[in-house]
Amino acid sequence: YEIRLSLVGSEMCIRDSVDKDGSFQQVAVMALSGDKFSGCASVAAGLGADGKHYLVLDGWTGLSGNNLATVLLYFDEESQQMLPAEQISTSELYNALRNVSTLVSRDLDGDGIVEIPTQPDEAGLLNMSQSRRMDFIVWMDYTASAPEKSFGLLDEESSCYIELPAEWEGNLMLTDSTDEEDAVELRTIDENKLVLTLRLASSSENAVGWTRLGVVASRQMQAKLGPDVTIEDPDYRLSRSLYRLN
């Protein structure tokens, strides 16, 4: 596919190179509404959970034009057109705004299906210094009838995402650690119980008791579960929870 944004408004033209000589044939022109989108931030393509071909368009929107919203389209074989997906309403998806400019849709887990990120207020509470840019994120595959979800933390400074156990969603507070340098803590809202500590450490620091998640910005992202913390999800692995987004 070749995708072109016009310079007037937010019209998007999609052309498919089906001709033998390599030329493009226009298959769809969609007005993305100039009062909603001021430009295109990212386009990702892939198969959906239902086997259809999808395009995920992330566009700039909001009063300042610095927020991101998403349009989900699928290719309809009968009409040969790109149409809005039916699994979630266009308005509902558009209203799930994101205020992080680098938080675009992507195939997060490498399964060929593009996940769309959101920043739901109910995912958790933030109670930390303004110098740390972190937030709770939910990634969804909206092409499935029962969408699979990935819940976790976005660290803007290191441009990485740390997946968390799904059962923790909605009952977490993120706060600065008082015991570890350059670390944050995740505590339950209802009992103020420490469930996880995250830190960026140099390779020379003592890592006994910590799980290495990966190297980020020349430092190690490490994690340590709180005392007596058990994870119900049998498929969750803390050691495989880090995703680099750059």
Side-chain angles (χ1 to χ4, degrees):
Y1 286 106
E2 177 188 67
I3 299 170
R4 177 182 60 83
L5 292 177
S6 71
L7 299 178
V8 180
S10 297
E11 183 182 80
M12 184 174 74
C13 172
I14 300 177
R15 301 192 296 173
D16 188 5
S17 57
V18 295
D19 296 341
K20 293 182 180 179
D21 61 359
S23 62
F24 285 91
Q25 176 184 357
Q26 182 173 298
V27 295
V29 175
M30 287 161 292
L32 297 181
S33 182
D35 61 339
K36 289 187 176 181
F37 292 98
S38 59
C40 177
S42 174
V43 176
L47 286 175
D50 53 5
K52 296 179 181 178
H53 293 275
Y54 283 84
L55 279 178
V56 184
L57 170 68
D58 294 325
W60 301 109
T61 187
L63 293 176
S64 62
N66 293 326
N67 290 331
L68 286 172
T70 300
V71 173
L72 180 63
L73 308 164
Y74 76 96
F75 182 70
D76 181 62
E77 294 284 352
E78 183 176 352
S79 66
Q80 295 290 295
Q81 295 288 315
M82 300 299 299
L83 302 177
E86 301 170 348
Q87 294 90 334
I88 182 173
S89 71
T90 302
S91 60
E92 181 181 352
L93 191 55
Y94 172 80
N95 289 327
L97 298 180
R98 313 188 292 277
N99 60 16
V100 181
S101 61
T102 57
L103 191 58
V104 296
S105 303
R106 67 189 69 217
D107 180 7
L108 186 67
D109 51 10
D111 63 353
I113 298 174
V114 177
E115 284 81 28
I116 299 173
T118 59
Q119 294 173 278
D121 294 334
E122 65 274 12
L125 299 178
L126 301 175
N127 181 25
M128 55 191 303
S129 65
Q130 296 297 316
S131 61
R132 293 299 296 268
R133 301 191 307 254
M134 304 183 77
D135 201 358
F136 291 104
I137 302 296
V138 172
W139 298 78
M140 297 284 283
D141 162 26
Y142 289 102
T143 68
S145 55
E148 294 186 3
K149 177 189 296 186
S150 175
F151 162 70
L153 272 177
L154 171 73
D155 186 346
E156 290 186 58
E157 182 179 350
S158 59
S159 190
C160 67
Y161 167 72
I162 301 100
E163 188 174 38
L164 300 173
E167 66 256 29
W168 292 359
E169 183 182 355
N171 189 32
L172 284 183
M173 177 176 62
L174 180 66
T175 184
D176 294 304
S177 175
T178 56
D179 299 324
E180 301 287 344
E181 184 179 355
D182 201 16
V184 295
E185 294 178 350
L186 287 168
R187 294 180 173 272
T188 60
I189 296 174
D190 53 1
E191 299 177 345
N192 195 34
K193 177 183 178 180
L194 176 65
V195 293
L196 188 72
T197 303
L198 289 165
R199 74 174 184 179
L200 279 172
S202 66
S203 57
S204 60
E205 288 190 57
N206 188 348
V208 175
W210 293 85
T211 298
R212 295 183 177 91
L213 305 187
V215 176
V216 177
S218 302
R219 293 192 291 174
Q220 289 186 8
M221 179 71 76
Q222 301 174 350
K224 179 167 59 177
L225 290 172
D228 303 320
V229 171
T230 58
I231 297 174
E232 297 177 6
D233 184 356
D235 297 324
Y236 179 79
R237 297 291 184 273
L238 181 60
S239 59
R240 298 202 300 255
S241 62
L242 180 70
Y243 295 85
R244 298 173 185 84
L245 302 181
N246 53 9

